[in-house]
Amino acid sequence: MVRPSKTYAGVTLALTQIDAADRVYEQLKDWNRPLEALELLNTRLPGFDTPITLLKSTAINGLMATQILALVAMAAHVQDVLANAQLETAGPELVDKVGEFKHKGKQRNNVSFASKFAHFFIDADRFPMKDGYSTTMVEFHVGTADCVQTKKNVLDESYEAYVQNIEQLKKRDGLGRSSHRRLDRYLWFAGKYRFFLKKSPFETGAPKETTKKEFLDSLKACSDVDLAAVLDD
C-alpha cells in the first residue's frame, strides 16, 4: 500500500470505535488464527538463539506479510541486535535498530517486520505494530501538524516517533485504559476498511477489485452496527 501524501487536521478517536474493532476481530476466526499461531510459537519456543530466531522471523514474514526476501540474513541481523539489547527495558529505539537492515550494500528499513517481531516475541503492549494502514490512521487522528517532526520540519517516519504519536493520541482522547494490542486492532482494521471503501484518509487509494471484494466479503459475518461504529462517520 502506498501511503497518501496529505495533511490532516486531526480527528477524535472514541473508545467506542476501538471496542467495535475488537468485536469485529472476535467475529473473524480466520483473522485470529495467525495471531494465535504466533502467540503459541512464542510460548513454546522462548528465546532468540539462531534456529529459534529464524523460525520466528519466518513466521512473522509469512503470517504477517512483511515481504522480507533476504530472510536468513534478516534473522541473523535480528539475533545480533537482540543479543546486544536489554530486552526487559528496551524502548521503541530497539525496533528502529532491528528495522535498519543492510544487505548486499543496500540499506533497508524494515520497521513493519521489526515492530511485529517485537510485538509478538518481546512485549505486545510495549511494541505496537506499525504498517502503512496504522501509520496513516495515527496521523489522521492526531493531526499532521501535531505529529512528531524531524529537524527539517517533515513528518518523522521512525518507529520511536510513531509510538510517541500513539501516546499523544491516547492522552488527548482519554484512551489510557486501552492496551496497544486493542489500539493495534483498531488502527489496522479501520485503516484497511477505509482504504477499500475509499474513505478519508484514503480517498485516492486504488485497491485491486479482486482484493477489495475478498476483503469486504470476509466482513459479511460481522455486525453492520459494529462496522459502522468503527468508522463513526
Side-chain angles (χ1 to χ4, degrees):
M1 187 207 80
V2 177
R3 296 212 301 120
S5 299
K6 295 177 61 178
T7 58
Y8 314 108
V11 177
T12 299
L13 174 57
L15 184 60
T16 52
Q17 292 173 268
I18 298 173
D19 290 340
D22 246 358
R23 291 193 296 272
V24 168
Y25 259 82
E26 293 306 317
Q27 295 169 64
L28 295 168
K29 292 183 179 179
D30 284 349
W31 289 15
N32 280 297
R33 284 175 183 142
L35 311 184
E36 292 168 355
L38 291 169
E39 290 168 357
L40 181 62
L41 178 59
N42 187 45
T43 301
R44 296 288 179 86
L45 293 175
F48 300 103
D49 65 18
T50 299
I52 288 176
T53 304
L54 180 56
L55 282 171
K56 288 178 175 179
S57 297
T58 302
I60 290 290
N61 200 46
L63 295 175
M64 304 303 287
T66 52
Q67 300 180 348
I68 304 294
L69 299 180
L71 192 55
V72 174
M74 183 69 202
H77 167 69
V78 171
Q79 185 181 8
D80 182 60
V81 172
L82 298 188
N84 292 283
Q86 296 293 328
L87 299 185
E88 296 79 10
T89 58
E93 72 284 348
L94 176 66
V95 169
D96 282 321
K97 288 180 182 177
V98 171
E100 293 172 356
F101 172 52
K102 190 172 184 178
H103 182 62
K104 293 185 177 179
K106 293 183 179 180
Q107 189 70 39
R108 294 166 169 82
N109 192 335
N110 296 313
V111 168
S112 177
F113 168 88
S115 68
K116 291 166 184 176
F117 189 100
H119 180 86
F120 285 103
F121 301 133
I122 300 177
D123 190 320
D125 204 47
R126 205 180 345 147
F127 299 106
M129 291 185 278
K130 182 182 190 295
D131 63 10
Y133 295 118
S134 61
T135 301
T136 300
M137 288 302 294
V138 169
E139 293 169 6
F140 175 64
H141 282 294
V142 173
T144 310
D146 292 325
C147 287
V148 178
Q149 311 282 318
T150 68
K151 293 179 180 179
K152 295 182 179 180
N153 293 320
V154 296
L155 283 175
D156 190 333
E157 295 283 352
S158 71
Y159 182 76
E160 191 166 3
Y162 175 71
V163 173
Q164 290 177 33
N165 291 333
I166 286 178
E167 294 302 336
Q168 180 184 175
L169 174 63
K170 290 174 70 173
K171 183 177 180 179
R172 187 198 70 189
D173 292 349
L175 304 172
R177 73 179 182 86
S178 290
S179 67
H180 278 146
R181 177 166 293 192
R182 296 186 69 234
L183 192 54
D184 272 339
R185 288 183 171 188
Y186 166 78
L187 292 171
W188 180 84
F189 174 70
K192 192 165 187 175
Y193 192 31
R194 285 179 172 275
F195 175 72
F196 284 118
L197 295 179
K198 300 193 79 171
K199 285 181 171 288
S200 183
F202 299 99
E203 299 97 331
T204 58
K208 293 181 180 179
E209 286 302 315
T210 53
T211 309
K212 175 181 177 180
K213 183 178 186 302
E214 181 181 352
F215 177 77
L216 295 179
D217 283 350
S218 72
L219 302 182
K220 289 181 178 178
C222 300
S223 159
D224 289 340
V225 173
D226 286 336
L227 292 173
V230 170
L231 298 175
D232 194 31
D233 290 336

